[in-house]
Amino acid sequence: IKNIADKRENQKKKKKYRLLKEDSELFFYIQEVEKEKRLFITKLKGISRIYIFGAGIIGNKVAYFLEKNQFFVNAFIVSDTSKNPSVIRTIPVKSIEQIDSQDGDYIVIIATFWYSQQEIVNSLLKRNVLNVYLLELCKFFLWQEWIEH
């Protein structure tokens, strides 16, 4: 059964990339992005608490992506809870101070635009939140397999 599933997956990939020449730079880039997606998903499988920093459009897309891949999001993390609802899509919205980072069995996925990511990382580091994943939006949207305007 696994071989059949693998064959179908390979056929899907071939159809998906059939317009790209197999030796083109873009083809290799897309393959690398797919590899990063698989590594990201594999990394998340061993983590018990997943937080998404950012409760806007990007954070919601990340939550949808994770749920679609069978992951449970513990909370959206924001800098200022007074500017956000307390729950989004049944996921609680919490402040940075509410991250439980004592045992290291967590990850904070930063789902914001690149220009605010360094400031967020610095805020997290000050609070001893060390397990952080900086989401590259251009790659993340390729993981989604669709782009919305």
Side-chain angles (χ1 to χ4, degrees), residues 5 10 46 62 98 123 135 145:
N10 287 335
V62 171
Q98 293 176 292
S123 294
L135 189 67
E145 300 176 6

Side-chain angles (χ1 to χ4, degrees), residues 27-69:
F27 179 80
F28 289 119
Y29 176 75
I30 291 173
Q31 282 187 321
E32 185 62 32
V33 168
E34 288 288 331
K35 181 180 174 184
E36 287 180 34
K37 174 184 171 182
R38 287 190 304 275
L39 290 172
F40 176 70
I41 289 172
T42 300
K43 179 178 182 165
L44 291 180
K45 287 181 181 176
I47 295 173
S48 66
R49 291 185 314 283
I50 299 173
Y51 302 108
I52 299 173
F53 195 104
I57 293 168
I58 299 168
N60 274 280
K61 289 194 179 294
V62 171
Y64 176 78
F65 171 80
L66 293 172
E67 290 166 352
K68 187 173 136 186
N69 285 282

Side-chain angles (χ1 to χ4, degrees), residues 16-33:
K16 187 175 176 180
Y17 305 133
R18 71 176 181 248
L19 297 177
L20 300 174
K21 291 184 180 181
E22 289 193 19
D23 61 346
S24 73
E25 211 173 299
L26 182 57
F27 179 80
F28 289 119
Y29 176 75
I30 291 173
Q31 282 187 321
E32 185 62 32
V33 168

Side-chain angles (χ1 to χ4, degrees):
I1 295 175
K2 184 174 179 349
N3 288 340
I4 294 170
D6 288 344
K7 277 186 180 180
R8 286 186 182 160
E9 187 64 30
N10 287 335
Q11 288 172 344
K12 281 183 189 177
K13 285 181 182 178
K14 284 180 183 177
K15 285 181 184 178
K16 187 175 176 180
Y17 305 133
R18 71 176 181 248
L19 297 177
L20 300 174
K21 291 184 180 181
E22 289 193 19
D23 61 346
S24 73
E25 211 173 299
L26 182 57
F27 179 80
F28 289 119
Y29 176 75
I30 291 173
Q31 282 187 321
E32 185 62 32
V33 168
E34 288 288 331
K35 181 180 174 184
E36 287 180 34
K37 174 184 171 182
R38 287 190 304 275
L39 290 172
F40 176 70
I41 289 172
T42 300
K43 179 178 182 165
L44 291 180
K45 287 181 181 176
I47 295 173
S48 66
R49 291 185 314 283
I50 299 173
Y51 302 108
I52 299 173
F53 195 104
I57 293 168
I58 299 168
N60 274 280
K61 289 194 179 294
V62 171
Y64 176 78
F65 171 80
L66 293 172
E67 290 166 352
K68 187 173 136 186
N69 285 282
Q70 311 302 312
F71 292 102
F72 174 78
V73 176
N74 292 77
F76 287 107
I77 303 299
V78 295
S79 301
D80 186 353
T81 55
S82 69
K83 295 181 181 177
N84 291 279
S86 60
V87 176
I88 299 173
R89 300 182 54 208
T90 72
I91 301 169
V93 177
K94 298 182 177 185
S95 68
I96 294 174
E97 293 80 17
Q98 293 176 292
I99 297 174
D100 178 13
S101 62
Q102 297 302 314
D103 64 4
D105 191 20
Y106 69 92
I107 190 165
V108 177
I109 301 166
I110 299 181
T112 63
F113 291 106
W114 64 270
Y115 53 81
S116 59
Q117 288 184 342
Q118 191 57 55
E119 182 181 337
I120 293 165
V121 168
N122 293 340
S123 294
L124 292 169
L125 291 175
K126 284 180 188 174
R127 290 166 177 80
N128 207 29
V129 176
L130 306 175
N131 298 344
V132 175
Y133 184 86
L134 292 170
L135 189 67
E136 292 183 60
L137 292 183
C138 59
K139 293 179 181 179
F140 173 71
F141 285 125
L142 288 174
W143 292 0
Q144 293 290 299
E145 300 176 6
W146 51 265
I147 297 176
E148 261 185 77
H149 300 281

